[in-house]
PDB file of all heavy atoms in Angstrom:
ATOM      1  N   GLU A  40      -4.183 -12.435   2.714  1.00  0.00           N
ATOM      2  CA  GLU A  40      -4.003 -13.873   2.546  1.00  0.00           C
ATOM      3  C   GLU A  40      -5.043 -14.632   3.370  1.00  0.00           C
ATOM      4  O   GLU A  40      -5.373 -14.222   4.495  1.00  0.00           O
ATOM      5  CB  GLU A  40      -2.601 -14.271   2.988  1.00  0.00           C
ATOM      6  CG  GLU A  40      -2.140 -15.637   2.524  1.00  0.00           C
ATOM      7  CD  GLU A  40      -1.974 -15.731   1.005  1.00  0.00           C
ATOM      8  OE1 GLU A  40      -1.859 -14.699   0.324  1.00  0.00           O
ATOM      9  OE2 GLU A  40      -1.978 -16.886   0.522  1.00  0.00           O
ATOM     10  N   GLU A  65      -6.245  -5.400  -7.539  1.00  0.00           N
ATOM     11  CA  GLU A  65      -5.152  -6.143  -6.950  1.00  0.00           C
ATOM     12  C   GLU A  65      -4.360  -6.853  -8.039  1.00  0.00           C
ATOM     13  O   GLU A  65      -4.780  -6.855  -9.205  1.00  0.00           O
ATOM     14  CB  GLU A  65      -5.716  -7.190  -5.942  1.00  0.00           C
ATOM     15  CG  GLU A  65      -5.507  -6.831  -4.471  1.00  0.00           C
ATOM     16  CD  GLU A  65      -4.113  -7.109  -3.964  1.00  0.00           C
ATOM     17  OE1 GLU A  65      -3.144  -6.824  -4.701  1.00  0.00           O
ATOM     18  OE2 GLU A  65      -3.995  -7.624  -2.848  1.00  0.00           O
ATOM     19  N   CYS A  66      -3.221  -7.424  -7.658  1.00  0.00           N
ATOM     20  CA  CYS A  66      -2.446  -8.287  -8.554  1.00  0.00           C
ATOM     21  C   CYS A  66      -2.070  -9.556  -7.796  1.00  0.00           C
ATOM     22  O   CYS A  66      -2.072  -9.581  -6.564  1.00  0.00           O
ATOM     23  CB  CYS A  66      -1.186  -7.570  -9.036  1.00  0.00           C
ATOM     24  SG  CYS A  66      -1.495  -6.320 -10.304  1.00  0.00           S
ATOM     25  N   ASN A  67      -1.735 -10.591  -8.534  1.00  0.00           N
ATOM     26  CA  ASN A  67      -1.386 -11.878  -7.917  1.00  0.00           C
ATOM     27  C   ASN A  67      -0.034 -11.821  -7.217  1.00  0.00           C
ATOM     28  O   ASN A  67       0.825 -10.989  -7.539  1.00  0.00           O
ATOM     29  CB  ASN A  67      -1.393 -12.980  -8.970  1.00  0.00           C
ATOM     30  CG  ASN A  67      -2.788 -13.293  -9.458  1.00  0.00           C
ATOM     31  OD1 ASN A  67      -3.741 -13.303  -8.692  1.00  0.00           O
ATOM     32  ND2 ASN A  67      -2.919 -13.576 -10.746  1.00  0.00           N
ATOM     33  N   THR A  68       0.156 -12.727  -6.289  1.00  0.00           N
ATOM     34  CA  THR A  68       1.398 -12.828  -5.527  1.00  0.00           C
ATOM     35  C   THR A  68       2.359 -13.793  -6.216  1.00  0.00           C
ATOM     36  O   THR A  68       2.004 -14.454  -7.193  1.00  0.00           O
ATOM     37  CB  THR A  68       1.126 -13.344  -4.102  1.00  0.00           C
ATOM     38  OG1 THR A  68       0.569 -14.667  -4.181  1.00  0.00           O
ATOM     39  CG2 THR A  68       0.149 -12.433  -3.371  1.00  0.00           C
ATOM     40  N   VAL A  69       3.583 -13.836  -5.697  1.00  0.00           N
ATOM     41  CA  VAL A  69       4.576 -14.762  -6.259  1.00  0.00           C
ATOM     42  C   VAL A  69       4.750 -16.010  -5.391  1.00  0.00           C
ATOM     43  O   VAL A  69       5.251 -17.019  -5.875  1.00  0.00           O
ATOM     44  CB  VAL A  69       5.953 -14.086  -6.411  1.00  0.00           C
ATOM     45  CG1 VAL A  69       5.877 -12.931  -7.381  1.00  0.00           C
ATOM     46  CG2 VAL A  69       6.506 -13.610  -5.080  1.00  0.00           C
ATOM     47  N   TYR A  70       4.353 -15.946  -4.150  1.00  0.00           N
ATOM     48  CA  TYR A  70       4.524 -17.071  -3.243  1.00  0.00           C
ATOM     49  C   TYR A  70       3.257 -17.934  -3.275  1.00  0.00           C
ATOM     50  O   TYR A  70       2.166 -17.455  -3.592  1.00  0.00           O
ATOM     51  CB  TYR A  70       4.791 -16.589  -1.817  1.00  0.00           C
ATOM     52  CG  TYR A  70       3.754 -15.586  -1.321  1.00  0.00           C
ATOM     53  CD1 TYR A  70       2.541 -16.012  -0.796  1.00  0.00           C
ATOM     54  CD2 TYR A  70       4.014 -14.209  -1.380  1.00  0.00           C
ATOM     55  CE1 TYR A  70       1.585 -15.106  -0.358  1.00  0.00           C
ATOM     56  CE2 TYR A  70       3.077 -13.296  -0.950  1.00  0.00           C
ATOM     57  CZ  TYR A  70       1.860 -13.753  -0.444  1.00  0.00           C
ATOM     58  OH  TYR A  70       0.913 -12.826  -0.024  1.00  0.00           O
ATOM     59  N   GLU A  71       3.417 -19.196  -2.930  1.00  0.00           N
ATOM     60  CA  GLU A  71       2.262 -20.099  -2.895  1.00  0.00           C
ATOM     61  C   GLU A  71       1.341 -19.700  -1.770  1.00  0.00           C
ATOM     62  O   GLU A  71       1.763 -19.301  -0.685  1.00  0.00           O
ATOM     63  CB  GLU A  71       2.718 -21.543  -2.722  1.00  0.00           C
ATOM     64  CG  GLU A  71       3.439 -22.106  -3.931  1.00  0.00           C
ATOM     65  CD  GLU A  71       3.709 -23.587  -3.803  1.00  0.00           C
ATOM     66  OE1 GLU A  71       3.236 -24.199  -2.804  1.00  0.00           O
ATOM     67  OE2 GLU A  71       4.384 -24.147  -4.684  1.00  0.00           O
ATOM     68  N   GLY A  72       0.052 -19.801  -2.045  1.00  0.00           N
ATOM     69  CA  GLY A  72      -0.942 -19.432  -1.034  1.00  0.00           C
ATOM     70  C   GLY A  72      -2.298 -19.268  -1.694  1.00  0.00           C
ATOM     71  O   GLY A  72      -2.600 -19.926  -2.696  1.00  0.00           O
ATOM     72  N   GLY A  73      -3.087 -18.356  -1.161  1.00  0.00           N
ATOM     73  CA  GLY A  73      -4.448 -18.179  -1.651  1.00  0.00           C
ATOM     74  C   GLY A  73      -4.600 -17.056  -2.642  1.00  0.00           C
ATOM     75  O   GLY A  73      -5.744 -16.691  -2.975  1.00  0.00           O
ATOM     76  N   ARG A  74      -3.492 -16.505  -3.166  1.00  0.00           N
ATOM     77  CA  ARG A  74      -3.621 -15.382  -4.104  1.00  0.00           C
ATOM     78  C   ARG A  74      -2.589 -15.446  -5.239  1.00  0.00           C
ATOM     79  O   ARG A  74      -2.340 -14.447  -5.893  1.00  0.00           O
ATOM     80  CB  ARG A  74      -3.488 -14.055  -3.355  1.00  0.00           C
ATOM     81  CG  ARG A  74      -4.591 -13.807  -2.324  1.00  0.00           C
ATOM     82  CD  ARG A  74      -4.462 -12.449  -1.692  1.00  0.00           C
ATOM     83  NE  ARG A  74      -3.190 -12.304  -0.980  1.00  0.00           N
ATOM     84  CZ  ARG A  74      -2.561 -11.149  -0.803  1.00  0.00           C
ATOM     85  NH1 ARG A  74      -3.049 -10.023  -1.300  1.00  0.00           N
ATOM     86  NH2 ARG A  74      -1.409 -11.108  -0.125  1.00  0.00           N
ATOM     87  N   ASN A  75      -1.991 -16.593  -5.456  1.00  0.00           N
ATOM     88  CA  ASN A  75      -0.931 -16.697  -6.461  1.00  0.00           C
ATOM     89  C   ASN A  75      -1.414 -17.121  -7.829  1.00  0.00           C
ATOM     90  O   ASN A  75      -0.664 -17.134  -8.805  1.00  0.00           O
ATOM     91  CB  ASN A  75       0.174 -17.664  -5.996  1.00  0.00           C
ATOM     92  CG  ASN A  75      -0.327 -19.077  -5.811  1.00  0.00           C
ATOM     93  OD1 ASN A  75      -1.453 -19.282  -5.342  1.00  0.00           O
ATOM     94  ND2 ASN A  75       0.490 -20.048  -6.149  1.00  0.00           N
ATOM     95  N   THR A  76      -2.694 -17.471  -7.952  1.00  0.00           N
ATOM     96  CA  THR A  76      -3.299 -17.771  -9.248  1.00  0.00           C
ATOM     97  C   THR A  76      -4.604 -16.987  -9.361  1.00  0.00           C
ATOM     98  O   THR A  76      -5.188 -16.568  -8.347  1.00  0.00           O
ATOM     99  CB  THR A  76      -3.610 -19.264  -9.418  1.00  0.00           C
ATOM    100  OG1 THR A  76      -4.650 -19.642  -8.481  1.00  0.00           O
ATOM    101  CG2 THR A  76      -2.372 -20.121  -9.172  1.00  0.00           C
ATOM    102  N   HIS A  80      -7.089 -16.363  -6.244  1.00  0.00           N
ATOM    103  CA  HIS A  80      -7.240 -14.968  -5.785  1.00  0.00           C
ATOM    104  C   HIS A  80      -8.700 -14.541  -5.822  1.00  0.00           C
ATOM    105  O   HIS A  80      -9.182 -13.890  -4.890  1.00  0.00           O
ATOM    106  CB  HIS A  80      -6.372 -14.058  -6.633  1.00  0.00           C
ATOM    107  CG  HIS A  80      -5.960 -12.809  -5.928  1.00  0.00           C
ATOM    108  ND1 HIS A  80      -4.821 -12.129  -6.216  1.00  0.00           N
ATOM    109  CD2 HIS A  80      -6.568 -12.115  -4.913  1.00  0.00           C
ATOM    110  CE1 HIS A  80      -4.726 -11.064  -5.431  1.00  0.00           C
ATOM    111  NE2 HIS A  80      -5.770 -11.041  -4.638  1.00  0.00           N
ATOM    112  N   ASP A  99      -3.529  -8.190 -13.297  1.00  0.00           N
ATOM    113  CA  ASP A  99      -2.627  -8.997 -14.126  1.00  0.00           C
ATOM    114  C   ASP A  99      -3.274 -10.302 -14.578  1.00  0.00           C
ATOM    115  O   ASP A  99      -2.593 -11.210 -15.065  1.00  0.00           O
ATOM    116  CB  ASP A  99      -1.305  -9.278 -13.412  1.00  0.00           C
ATOM    117  CG  ASP A  99      -1.472 -10.038 -12.101  1.00  0.00           C
ATOM    118  OD1 ASP A  99      -2.582 -10.038 -11.534  1.00  0.00           O
ATOM    119  OD2 ASP A  99      -0.483 -10.627 -11.631  1.00  0.00           O
ATOM    120  N   ALA A 155       2.500  -4.301  -9.016  1.00  0.00           N
ATOM    121  CA  ALA A 155       3.316  -5.131  -9.897  1.00  0.00           C
ATOM    122  C   ALA A 155       2.645  -6.477 -10.167  1.00  0.00           C
ATOM    123  O   ALA A 155       1.978  -7.040  -9.292  1.00  0.00           O
ATOM    124  CB  ALA A 155       4.682  -5.365  -9.252  1.00  0.00           C
ATOM    125  N   SER A 156       2.827  -6.958 -11.382  1.00  0.00           N
ATOM    126  CA  SER A 156       2.390  -8.312 -11.723  1.00  0.00           C
ATOM    127  C   SER A 156       3.261  -9.324 -10.968  1.00  0.00           C
ATOM    128  O   SER A 156       4.230  -8.952 -10.301  1.00  0.00           O
ATOM    129  CB  SER A 156       2.536  -8.540 -13.231  1.00  0.00           C
ATOM    130  OG  SER A 156       3.918  -8.449 -13.590  1.00  0.00           O
ATOM    131  N   SER A 157       2.926 -10.594 -11.083  1.00  0.00           N
ATOM    132  CA  SER A 157       3.754 -11.615 -10.440  1.00  0.00           C
ATOM    133  C   SER A 157       5.205 -11.495 -10.900  1.00  0.00           C
ATOM    134  O   SER A 157       6.139 -11.521 -10.090  1.00  0.00           O
ATOM    135  CB  SER A 157       3.234 -13.012 -10.751  1.00  0.00           C
ATOM    136  OG  SER A 157       1.999 -13.238 -10.136  1.00  0.00           O
ATOM    137  N   ARG A 158       5.405 -11.353 -12.200  1.00  0.00           N
ATOM    138  CA  ARG A 158       6.766 -11.174 -12.728  1.00  0.00           C
ATOM    139  C   ARG A 158       7.386  -9.898 -12.181  1.00  0.00           C
ATOM    140  O   ARG A 158       8.556  -9.880 -11.809  1.00  0.00           O
ATOM    141  CB  ARG A 158       6.714 -11.133 -14.239  1.00  0.00           C
ATOM    142  CG  ARG A 158       8.058 -10.817 -14.913  1.00  0.00           C
ATOM    143  CD  ARG A 158       7.861 -10.626 -16.411  1.00  0.00           C
ATOM    144  NE  ARG A 158       9.106 -10.270 -17.079  1.00  0.00           N
ATOM    145  CZ  ARG A 158       9.175  -9.984 -18.384  1.00  0.00           C
ATOM    146  NH1 ARG A 158       8.080  -9.997 -19.120  1.00  0.00           N
ATOM    147  NH2 ARG A 158      10.331  -9.673 -18.940  1.00  0.00           N
ATOM    148  N   LYS A 160       6.840  -8.427  -9.399  1.00  0.00           N
ATOM    149  CA  LYS A 160       7.209  -8.594  -7.997  1.00  0.00           C
ATOM    150  C   LYS A 160       8.591  -9.252  -7.885  1.00  0.00           C
ATOM    151  O   LYS A 160       9.398  -8.862  -7.048  1.00  0.00           O
ATOM    152  CB  LYS A 160       6.142  -9.421  -7.277  1.00  0.00           C
ATOM    153  CG  LYS A 160       4.831  -8.686  -7.025  1.00  0.00           C
ATOM    154  CD  LYS A 160       3.804  -9.592  -6.376  1.00  0.00           C
ATOM    155  CE  LYS A 160       2.559  -8.843  -5.917  1.00  0.00           C
ATOM    156  NZ  LYS A 160       1.787  -8.262  -7.013  1.00  0.00           N
ATOM    157  N   PHE A 161       8.841 -10.249  -8.728  1.00  0.00           N
ATOM    158  CA  PHE A 161      10.173 -10.874  -8.735  1.00  0.00           C
ATOM    159  C   PHE A 161      11.248  -9.863  -9.107  1.00  0.00           C
ATOM    160  O   PHE A 161      12.311  -9.815  -8.492  1.00  0.00           O
ATOM    161  CB  PHE A 161      10.203 -12.047  -9.725  1.00  0.00           C
ATOM    162  CG  PHE A 161       9.930 -13.381  -9.104  1.00  0.00           C
ATOM    163  CD1 PHE A 161       8.790 -14.093  -9.442  1.00  0.00           C
ATOM    164  CD2 PHE A 161      10.828 -13.941  -8.209  1.00  0.00           C
ATOM    165  CE1 PHE A 161       8.540 -15.335  -8.872  1.00  0.00           C
ATOM    166  CE2 PHE A 161      10.597 -15.177  -7.636  1.00  0.00           C
ATOM    167  CZ  PHE A 161       9.449 -15.886  -7.970  1.00  0.00           C
ATOM    168  N   CYS A 219      -0.072 -10.138   3.882  1.00  0.00           N
ATOM    169  CA  CYS A 219       0.316 -11.273   3.043  1.00  0.00           C
ATOM    170  C   CYS A 219       0.677 -12.496   3.876  1.00  0.00           C
ATOM    171  O   CYS A 219       0.923 -13.575   3.325  1.00  0.00           O
ATOM    172  CB  CYS A 219       1.484 -10.889   2.142  1.00  0.00           C
ATOM    173  SG  CYS A 219       2.971 -10.367   3.030  1.00  0.00           S
TER     174      CYS A 219
END
Side-chain angles (χ1 to χ4, degrees):
E40 196 66 20
E65 254 281 42
C66 285
N67 290 322
T68 62
V69 298
Y70 53 82
E71 291 188 6
R74 296 184 299 152
N75 62 322
T76 66
H80 206 152
D99 60 340
S156 64
S157 292
R158 174 187 178 184
K160 288 177 171 65
F161 265 114
C219 59

